[in-house]
Amino acid sequence: MSSIYDTLNDMQKEAVFHTEGPLLILAGAGSGKTRVLTHRVAYLIEEKGVQPWNIMAITFTNKAAGEMKERVQNLVGFGSDQIWVSTFHSSCVRILRRYIDRLGYENHFTIYDTDDQKSLMKDVFKRLNVDTKVYKERNILAQISKAKNDFISPEQYAIDNQGDFSKKKVIECYKLYQEQLKNNNALDFDDLLVKTVELFENNKDVLEYYRERFKYIMVDEYQDTNTVQFKFISMLAKEHRNLCVVGDDDQSIYKFRGANIKNILNFESVFTDAHVIKLEQNYRSTQNILNAANEMIKNNTERKSKTLWTDRGDGEKITFKMVDFAQQEAEYVAESIKKYVENGKTFKECACLYRTNAQSRLLEEALMRKNIPYKIVGGINFYQRKEIKDILAYLKTVNNGVDDLAVRRIINVPKRGIGAASIDKIQEYADSRGISFYDAARDEKCLEYIGRSSAKVKSFVDLIQVLRTKNEFINVRELIDEITDVTGYVRELEAENTDESKERIANIEELLTKAVDYQLKAEKPSLNGFLEEVALVADIDSLDPESDYVVLMTVHSSKGLEFPNVYLCGMEDGLFPSYMSISSDDPLDIEEERRLCYVAITRAMDNLHISCAKQRMVRGEIQYGKMSRFLKEIPLELLDTGMKKAEPTEKRRVTRPTQASSARQIINSKAFEPRQFKVTKLTGLEYGEGDRVKHIKFGEGTVVSVAEGGRDFEVTVNFDKVGVKKMFASFAKLKKI
């Protein structure tokens, strides 16, 4: 036997050498699963005499497929190019290109991307007279995608949801959407799998051909498969039953994309003669980090028992940092990274992980202030995100209107029916007279030149003029609120009700937080000053991918990666785990969040830093929260809180507390309990209904009403200059006159 297998540990060897029958390899984080798969392919060819074209290996990304091909080629050499190594979707395209005519399509079918799908759904909406104020294309498409992932046809979907009025439009749209796809000889990405399974179900000769070809099938990241992917694989493997699936149920974090964790949990129920091998030796992390991950994840009920271990030694304890404010957390991370590099390390060894993209803003600014290079992976710079650029473009237009790019960006955002032709005419008029785009849009002669769209352009100009007037009396945060309200920007995102739209709303809320933070710190806050500060932060030179930089990313984006020095930020209930999972009726939603936290912890190789804040600003308002429940599941003896041990004195003997007891004091302290927002009682206010009061910005006014809200007293005042305003008493700081 070749010596290439000598480098494998005992369990890896067992997984490589077990070639016949169903095999489930439970591969813990950092346990070398790709190494096992590639060596297994080599073993099948070199030692078992299996022909390369009889082997199929399925991965989830083209990058992973490419890496596997390269590693197999290095091991096998000649003939490795005949092994079928590809993603699920690529495999299905190859099959459908050959046989889709059996389903009534032409073989040169088109594959629709996301934009194509939205365009087609818009056409469906028009044909069905769907009210776009009530229904959004993205929301309907998301529901259709979920149905396809569960292998539910339009006809079956109609049967399953008959009598459900809320699904009536979805049923109609799904049916017509599929009809239009077929009329256009097109498939969307979900169809690639669905149609392949339909092909197998209705054409036994095709299924038999591929069953005979793929005598040995291997599937990577099996915990991320959905129902239709499971059906595709199980149909192919039914004849020879040499199906090897590799995955880790503890790293199943894509439920929102349709992943069905039951596929891996119930594998032995479907394949009753399946052999199970656990890869528990970790080659990535220190034992302290693994112990933290092990102890936390064992609180999940939906999992297969496994315990990660390593021979790398215990390593450093996990640094735990609690701060008062989220800004301090970002400063702590930046300062820690700076010291890390000063000790001879590199920036590229460091990664900052967080639950939501909106959390990156404070980290970005803290790193900028310390001249630390960084790169956002799986996302874009906070100030470069579409929704943030849109709102900033409105602010720039309100500020002076000289920025033609800003005005052009938002003149039809949200859509007002001002097309590209009209925008080009305005620009032509402006260029011919040497004036700004906005000034041209205000010109009556320009409006005559535009023609039919003139009324819509005038409506936009009137909107900006109203906002300019209000800007004289309201602060930046209120101006942003006004913009998102009168334009309907946020309402459109709320109506979409997708993961993407919710993320975009969270980013806008983070911009509100930035505005409040600016107002509190600036000596003379103004719109111009805010835009100047944002411009300095946002004006970042593009970073060379080969350069030395800190990586910022969500935990979802970090899956499959590893870093020597990891910072896990924002570990508070409501953020991680999310409020949605905490308030969900399904207890398994919390388990998905715990798996996500497990993924975050196991990205760290040598050093793991976990931090949380007693309070952070969300949607421009301060929120108090308690430490993440996941933190409390980590054994105290694994944590380094940074607390110094007490030293004995001559007067009395003092017992030195251990690190574990120091950690216990902090974690069990009341500092981690949610604090109540305390306000002065109504009887303590110096004003009441009908009283005249003065506001530092709005001037004088009359109190219309005082009502007790959930956390504060809501005061409604009719100001002499700016009209009626509703505000919280503690923030308003009204003075009776």
Side-chain angles (χ1 to χ4, degrees), residues 36-48:
V36 168
L37 283 174
T38 53
H39 280 73
R40 195 170 189 274
V41 171
Y43 182 77
L44 284 169
I45 295 173
E46 292 186 339
E47 306 297 334
K48 301 291 290 186

Side-chain angles (χ1 to χ4, degrees), residues 542-578:
S542 58
L543 299 172
D544 183 351
E546 301 299 321
S547 65
D548 188 23
Y549 51 75
V550 176
V551 173
L552 276 65
M553 68 179 83
T554 63
V555 181
H556 277 104
S557 297
S558 73
K559 190 168 180 290
L561 302 176
E562 58 184 34
F563 303 91
N565 194 37
V566 170
Y567 297 84
L568 179 53
C569 309
M571 288 298 292
E572 302 130 35
D573 265 8
L575 193 56
F576 201 176
S578 67

Side-chain angles (χ1 to χ4, degrees), residues 83-307:
I83 303 169
W84 186 303
V85 183
S86 68
T87 64
F88 274 104
H89 291 97
S90 296
S91 295
C92 291
V93 169
R94 289 176 65 178
I95 295 170
L96 292 173
R97 287 292 182 205
R98 187 172 179 181
Y99 291 109
I100 198 172
D101 57 307
R102 304 278 189 97
L103 298 178
Y105 291 77
E106 295 182 20
N107 295 81
H108 59 278
F109 59 86
T110 300
I111 302 173
Y112 275 8
D113 62 17
T114 304
D115 288 337
D116 295 327
Q117 288 179 260
K118 286 191 286 188
S119 297
L120 180 58
M121 187 54 71
K122 285 180 181 179
D123 181 60
V124 169
F125 273 26
K126 288 179 182 178
R127 291 170 180 265
L128 295 176
N129 295 317
V130 177
D131 187 349
T132 55
K133 293 181 180 179
V134 179
Y135 301 95
K136 297 299 175 184
E137 292 97 347
R138 288 184 180 180
N139 179 262
I140 298 293
L141 284 169
Q143 294 187 63
I144 291 174
S145 178
K146 184 180 184 305
K148 290 183 178 182
N149 286 338
D150 292 334
F151 198 62
I152 299 174
S153 66
E155 295 74 23
Q156 187 60 48
Y157 190 85
I159 294 172
D160 294 345
N161 294 282
Q162 61 182 339
D164 187 342
F165 182 77
S166 66
K167 299 292 185 181
K168 183 179 179 181
K169 283 298 177 186
V170 183
I171 293 170
E172 294 175 359
C173 290
Y174 188 7
K175 183 175 183 294
L176 184 55
Y177 173 76
Q178 284 305 116
E179 290 175 357
Q180 291 299 101
L181 276 172
K182 190 166 186 180
N183 290 339
N184 297 341
N185 195 43
L187 305 178
D188 61 23
F189 278 101
D190 295 321
D191 279 333
L192 295 177
L193 280 151
V194 170
K195 294 303 175 185
T196 304
V197 172
E198 287 182 8
L199 175 69
F200 287 166
E201 286 184 334
N202 298 306
N203 298 272
K204 299 304 180 184
D205 60 323
V206 176
L207 177 58
E208 289 302 323
Y209 169 79
Y210 285 106
R211 277 180 176 172
E212 189 58 30
R213 173 168 181 179
F214 301 131
K215 296 178 179 179
Y216 292 87
I217 300 173
M218 286 173 279
V219 183
D220 194 11
E221 302 288 0
Y222 189 67
Q223 76 279 350
D224 295 331
T225 55
N226 58 34
T227 301
V228 70
Q229 287 166 336
F230 168 76
K231 198 170 183 65
F232 169 73
I233 288 298
S234 59
M235 291 177 79
L236 283 176
K238 187 174 182 180
E239 183 72 24
H240 296 283
R241 307 188 82 255
N242 297 323
L243 173 62
C244 168
V245 299
V246 184
D248 183 5
D249 49 302
D250 290 334
Q251 295 187 75
S252 178
I253 59 173
Y254 293 117
K255 180 181 177 182
F256 67 97
R257 292 183 186 171
N260 185 355
I261 194 175
K262 297 293 185 183
N263 288 347
I264 191 168
L265 294 179
N266 296 341
F267 186 81
E268 297 137 281
S269 300
V270 177
F271 300 93
T272 54
D273 57 337
H275 184 64
V276 180
I277 297 174
K278 296 180 182 179
L279 302 183
E280 298 173 294
Q281 182 174 359
N282 178 282
Y283 293 91
R284 175 189 300 157
S285 308
T286 62
Q287 193 61 55
N288 278 334
I289 292 172
L290 296 181
N291 286 342
N294 288 332
E295 290 299 313
M296 183 189 64
I297 200 64
K298 74 179 185 181
N299 290 283
N300 272 7
T301 58
E302 294 258 312
R303 69 182 295 261
K304 292 180 177 292
S305 176
K306 71 185 82 67
T307 303

Side-chain angles (χ1 to χ4, degrees), residues 355-382:
R355 180 63 181 84
T356 66
N357 277 315
Q359 290 173 253
S360 74
R361 198 264 299 175
L362 289 176
L363 290 167
E364 289 181 62
E365 295 183 355
L367 294 174
M368 285 284 293
R369 284 192 288 270
K370 293 191 180 296
N371 295 315
I372 296 175
Y374 70 89
K375 184 179 182 65
I376 295 182
V377 176
I380 55 176
N381 178 290
F382 179 82

Side-chain angles (χ1 to χ4, degrees), residues 59 132 136 241 271 280 296 339 430 483 488 550 596-597 600 603 682 705:
T59 65
T132 55
K136 297 299 175 184
R241 307 188 82 255
F271 300 93
E280 298 173 294
M296 183 189 64
K339 291 179 179 178
I483 289 169
V550 176
L596 189 60
C597 190
R603 297 313 94 194
L682 182 62
S705 65

Side-chain angles (χ1 to χ4, degrees), residues 493-607:
L493 293 176
E494 289 173 339
E496 286 180 16
N497 194 33
T498 63
D499 290 327
E500 181 184 348
S501 66
K502 291 173 184 175
E503 185 76 19
R504 293 175 66 188
I505 292 172
N507 290 333
I508 293 173
E509 292 170 347
E510 182 62 15
L511 184 64
L512 289 171
T513 295
K514 169 63 182 176
V516 173
D517 184 59
Y518 162 77
Q519 288 159 199
L520 293 173
K521 293 179 179 178
E523 286 187 17
K524 294 182 179 180
S526 66
L527 175 57
N528 193 60
F530 175 75
L531 290 171
E532 182 178 310
E533 179 167 313
V534 166
L536 291 174
V537 174
D539 189 18
I540 302 173
D541 294 331
S542 58
L543 299 172
D544 183 351
E546 301 299 321
S547 65
D548 188 23
Y549 51 75
V550 176
V551 173
L552 276 65
M553 68 179 83
T554 63
V555 181
H556 277 104
S557 297
S558 73
K559 190 168 180 290
L561 302 176
E562 58 184 34
F563 303 91
N565 194 37
V566 170
Y567 297 84
L568 179 53
C569 309
M571 288 298 292
E572 302 130 35
D573 265 8
L575 193 56
F576 201 176
S578 67
Y579 278 120
M580 289 183 64
S581 63
I582 293 173
S583 58
S584 172
D585 294 332
D586 187 354
L588 297 184
D589 286 344
I590 282 288
E591 296 207 357
E592 175 107 351
E593 290 282 300
R594 186 177 283 109
R595 291 194 293 270
L596 189 60
C597 190
Y598 174 86
V599 167
I601 291 173
T602 54
R603 297 313 94 194
M605 299 167 67
D606 304 317
N607 306 104

